[in-house]
Amino acid sequence: MPRIARGAVPSPNIWNTPQIYELENRAADPDGVADAAMRALRPWDGATVLDIGCGTGYHLPGYAADASRVIGVEPHHDLAALARRRCAGLAGVEVHAATAQDLPLADTSVDVAVARWAYFFGPGCEPGLRELSRVLRRGGTAFVIDLDATRGSFGRWFSRTVPTYSASKVEAFWDRHGWQRQPLDLRMTFERRADLEAVLRIEFAPEVAEQAIAETPGLELPYPNVLRWRHY
């Protein structure tokens, strides 16, 4: 049994199939739209960057190219170990096995926090938001990137897989907490058809995944997201 940090919210995809999720990370947003949108709002050159729910550390080297310090936090100990291995040769990068609601960081120690498809899905994530308020420095910015369930085929497949998800309640939650939003028109592009199909099968319920595969010709599909942010 893998070791999991206490209080972690289970991930239905990367926790069970990290090798396939690696393919998804490689495929998602090849144009760098999400990073460009964040940088336009708050650059991280020379900053301390926190990646919450960093998984196997896929995005940590990219942050480390410009940031002075990069901190990955991941509640799944095995994934955190993979993230450490990935970043072993990079100066200024550290990875902790911990949760978003109990960050092992000092007060006002972070300039930029990013949660990409991890933990901050709306109602219920208040403990994590309190931790963001604690660790962000004045002038810092927190970003949350998530699927936009209101748009496109991807949003429709997600809504069928998670029928209890309420996009309107999620929007009301973020508005209430003072966060802003920006739609992101991302895409996924794959090298092999088998990889695309494998990713769809870890993202959606079995019957929905098979429909998504049937509706998706070729090696690419639109991936509508939303960027949420708050300046501190």
Side-chain angles (χ1 to χ4, degrees):
M1 289 288 293
R3 288 191 298 150
I4 308 296
R6 184 175 180 180
V9 178
S11 167
N13 42 38
I14 189 172
W15 280 23
N16 300 318
T17 52
Q19 300 90 345
I20 297 175
Y21 198 81
E22 182 78 7
L23 298 174
E24 183 167 355
N25 270 326
R26 292 177 190 168
D29 194 19
D31 310 300
V33 171
D35 280 358
M38 290 189 288
R39 282 182 174 278
L41 292 163
R42 207 313 184 170
W44 51 76
D45 301 73
T48 295
V49 176
L50 168 64
D51 185 342
I52 301 173
C54 70
T56 60
Y58 184 84
H59 295 283
L60 299 181
Y63 298 138
D66 299 300
S68 63
R69 181 187 181 198
V70 176
I71 306 158
V73 170
E74 168 56 48
H76 192 294
H77 284 245
D78 291 348
L79 299 183
L82 291 173
R84 291 190 194 99
R85 189 180 311 165
R86 185 193 293 269
C87 300
L90 298 176
V93 179
E94 61 196 79
V95 178
H96 300 272
T99 64
Q101 59 269 39
D102 189 18
L103 296 171
L105 302 174
D107 296 354
T108 61
S109 59
V110 171
D111 299 301
V112 177
V114 182
R116 197 181 308 235
W117 312 310
Y119 179 78
F120 291 96
F121 303 124
C125 72
E126 291 89 346
L129 291 182
R130 286 193 292 271
E131 280 291 83
L132 285 178
S133 295
R134 181 181 68 81
V135 302
L136 263 292
R137 294 186 178 115
R138 184 172 182 143
T141 302
F143 295 105
V144 169
I145 301 173
D146 195 12
L147 171 70
D148 189 342
T150 68
R151 294 194 291 140
S153 296
F154 215 102
R156 173 168 51 84
W157 300 328
F158 174 82
S159 296
R160 285 190 55 202
T161 297
V162 190
T164 57
Y165 183 89
S166 170
S168 60
K169 289 182 179 179
V170 170
E171 289 301 325
F173 173 89
W174 290 107
D175 287 345
R176 189 163 62 249
H177 285 84
W179 287 60
Q180 301 181 70
R181 79 187 304 276
Q182 175 183 336
L184 297 176
D185 294 321
L186 311 185
R187 64 189 178 106
M188 287 190 185
T189 181
F190 295 85
E191 295 181 0
R192 302 188 309 149
R193 177 70 186 181
D195 296 342
L196 180 150
E197 294 181 4
V199 166
L200 292 177
R201 288 189 175 109
I202 68 168
E203 287 295 337
F204 304 116
E207 67 277 8
V208 178
E210 295 311 310
Q211 180 182 350
I213 290 168
E215 292 180 8
T216 306
L219 298 173
E220 184 174 309
L221 70 160
Y223 185 39
N225 271 231
V226 59
L227 172 66
R228 307 184 194 278
W229 76 92
R230 181 181 171 188
H231 298 304
Y232 286 78

